[in-house]
Amino acid sequence: GDSVTQMEGPVTLSEEAFLTINCTYTATGYPSLFWYVQYPGEGLQLLLKATKADDKGSNKGFEATYRKETTSFHLEKGSVQVSDSAVYFCALRGGGAQKLVFGQGTRLTINP
Amino acid sequence: DAGVIQSPRHEVTEMGQEVTLRCKPISGHDYLFWYRQTMMRGLELLIYFNNNVPIDDSGMPEDRFSAKMPNASFSTLKIQPSEPRDSAVYFCASSLRDGPSTDTQYFGPGTRLTVL
């Protein structure tokens, strides 16, 4: 079945550091790919998405590119802030289905 | 819109008691999802509905769990009898199949359930 694998956390960085959180997937067909973010005590929020190969999703300084050849959707940000501290989830939606398959989540902590 | 509304936000109960979690999806959305989040198992999809009809309940852990959606604006997740291993945060999410935000699931704030 479809699956998503994220890099193990937790990840701790200093403010203004460069961030990469790796995400790879296994799916049949052409899935849509997502990054969701969960701030402490809250539900998940969509951060960005890409629906076809080579698409780049971007939001709030975060970017991820849909790479079909490597089945990856890595999340990047050039300069992180303390307010980016949260848990980040990579997810996919297989073609024709509405349900999402989530990765295990990566906890990110940014120190001032 | 007020977003997805869940109640209660926190629930503490004793083993063996019945627990009912409630969700009001975003008005006009045609899909509703129930998830469970624990440290050990991460985020798991329990069941989802389309136009009030259950589509996939393969994630429901066992017969003690049941979910209903009597109308487009309300859903319940019931656990009877509850057990300590049911302690988790339960999220409800809704989405719209067609439109500019298709694919996006909107999550509620969650219900933190503790079973003693």
Side-chain angles (χ1 to χ4, degrees):
Chain A
D2 295 349
S3 66
V4 175
T5 302
Q6 290 181 233
M7 69 185 287
E8 293 281 338
V11 175
T12 302
L13 296 172
S14 298
E15 204 165 22
E16 299 184 1
F18 183 86
L19 169 70
T20 300
I21 301 177
N22 290 338
C23 171
T24 57
Y25 68 89
T26 301
T28 55
Y30 302 94
S32 295
L33 301 174
F34 306 82
W35 278 100
Y36 277 78
V37 59
Q38 183 180 26
Y39 298 104
E42 299 183 10
L44 281 69
Q45 305 172 25
L46 179 68
L47 181 59
L48 54 84
K49 68 179 184 181
T51 57
K52 61 183 186 296
D54 300 324
D55 269 3
K56 178 186 284 188
S58 61
N59 186 25
K60 299 181 180 180
F62 290 89
E63 294 183 341
T65 301
Y66 189 143
R67 301 287 188 199
K68 186 164 173 54
E69 64 276 12
T70 54
T71 61
S72 66
F73 193 55
H74 304 322
L75 182 68
E76 297 181 336
K77 187 174 184 181
S79 177
V80 293
Q81 305 300 313
V82 172
S83 57
D84 294 326
S85 297
V87 181
Y88 292 80
F89 292 88
C90 186
L92 70 81
R93 184 181 73 82
Q98 278 300 107
K99 69 179 184 180
L100 294 175
V101 175
F102 284 92
Q104 68 269 39
T106 301
R107 182 175 298 277
L108 173 67
T109 300
I110 307 300
N111 293 321
Chain B
D1 204 311
V4 176
I5 298 172
Q6 291 187 247
S7 65
R9 292 294 309 275
H10 302 273
E11 176 80 33
V12 179
T13 190
E14 293 189 347
M15 183 174 62
Q17 295 298 306
E18 178 180 295
V19 175
T20 300
L21 311 181
R22 296 173 175 81
C23 175
K24 176 178 169 57
I26 292 173
S27 177
H29 280 192
D30 52 357
Y31 281 84
L32 184 139
F33 306 82
W34 282 101
Y35 292 91
R36 178 172 68 177
Q37 185 178 40
T38 61
M39 289 294 293
M40 291 298 294
R41 300 175 67 90
L43 193 63
E44 304 172 275
L45 176 66
L46 300 177
I47 185 172
Y48 76 96
F49 296 82
N50 175 219
N51 292 323
N52 314 336
V53 176
I55 301 300
D56 183 350
D57 65 355
S58 58
M60 295 286 264
E62 48 198 273
D63 292 346
R64 298 185 297 106
F65 286 69
S66 62
K68 295 182 178 180
M69 192 165 186
N71 57 62
S73 58
F74 183 66
S75 177
T76 60
L77 178 67
K78 186 175 294 186
I79 308 172
Q80 167 63 19
S82 58
E83 297 182 2
R85 59 193 170 117
D86 301 330
S87 297
V89 180
Y90 291 81
F91 289 103
C92 176
S94 70
S95 69
L96 180 64
R97 176 65 184 260
D98 295 312
S101 297
T102 189
D103 282 340
T104 300
Q105 290 189 16
Y106 296 85
F107 281 73
T111 295
R112 180 174 297 276
L113 173 65
T114 302
V115 183
L116 303 174

